[in-house]
Amino acid sequence: MSQTIERTSPVPYYEQLAEILRAQILDGAIPPDERLPSESELCREYGLSRATVRQTLQKLETDGFARRVPRRGVFASTPVETSGWTVQEGFLESQIRHGRVGIETRVIDARFTRPPRHVADALQVGAGDDVFALERVRSLEGRIAMFSTNWFPGASGQSMSTASDVLDGSASVNERLRAAGFVTSGAKRVIHALRAPEPVAAHLQVGTDEPVLRVRSLSWDDRGTKFDYYETWVLTDVIPLEVSVSAS
């Protein structure tokens, strides 16, 4: 990607700058743990506003390519692999099993769209391929508990796009996938505590400085076909996550 901001591109400036810095981190031009240029330096170099640069840095933090050290600055990092901790089941299934009532699912958006770069990479879809994206807010007894986005490629996306009971918030995504023949053989889930990005904070009705647990999950079947990637932001004061611990 060009090392300049394309002013006529439909891609937002902060996403362009995030991709430039991400590429520099991945190719070693900015080594892990090296301090990133300051907001002022990035503003001058790329001709961007401070608000845009702050969006960029927050995106890098969210995606695992940067970490903020109080009073020192923002430092390069690479997404951390985790092992041994696995979220065993979906929010809805676990709460039903425990007899909880008052669960509400509100669908925010459901459509075919281009996935973010890290999602496309995980699902192994082409850069120009659309996937079916489902955004939902889940509440427990009237309190917002989580905001999630699922991305479904290929056949799983076609199946979910016609699942009227999922699209109106009355059915479980996992149960609908299983009914359509997409049975999880393996999954990788990574959990981070992060500041909520602005769109996520708005859906969760919290401040952007409030820490939230982000769970990213990739699921595949017994043939190794990836059929679901989700990103869930959880308010654990409303609903704690259940995990199992196993030897790595």
Side-chain angles (χ1 to χ4, degrees), residues 35-166:
R35 187 178 180 278
L36 295 179
S38 68
E39 290 182 5
S40 297
E41 290 168 334
L42 290 171
C43 289
R44 287 195 300 270
E45 182 173 356
Y46 294 97
L48 298 173
S49 69
R50 189 174 291 272
T52 297
V53 168
R54 284 176 179 166
Q55 274 188 290
T56 295
L57 296 176
Q58 186 173 64
K59 177 175 176 57
L60 289 174
E61 285 184 79
T62 298
D63 291 345
F65 288 95
R67 59 184 179 85
R68 186 178 299 274
V69 179
R71 296 182 295 279
R72 291 186 58 199
V74 180
F75 293 78
S77 64
T78 53
V80 177
E81 300 288 340
T82 63
S83 61
W85 294 81
T86 304
V87 180
Q88 287 295 317
E89 55 189 329
F91 169 78
L92 185 60
E93 289 89 342
S94 67
Q95 295 308 301
I96 289 175
R97 180 169 59 79
H98 287 299
R100 299 296 292 269
V101 296
I103 298 168
E104 179 184 358
T105 299
R106 180 164 55 94
V107 175
I108 303 298
D109 196 12
R111 57 192 170 91
F112 284 96
T113 186
R114 298 283 171 83
R117 172 72 175 274
H118 70 279
V119 176
D121 290 347
L123 291 173
Q124 299 178 344
V125 300
D129 293 342
D130 284 351
V131 301
F132 189 71
L134 176 67
E135 292 187 354
R136 298 172 296 165
V137 170
R138 325 289 300 274
S139 300
L140 179 63
E141 298 173 356
R143 297 180 64 192
I144 292 176
M146 61 200 305
F147 169 71
S148 62
T149 305
N150 290 71
W151 291 271
F152 306 100
S156 66
Q158 293 294 335
S159 177
M160 297 304 295
S161 70
T162 60
S164 58
D165 51 354
V166 171

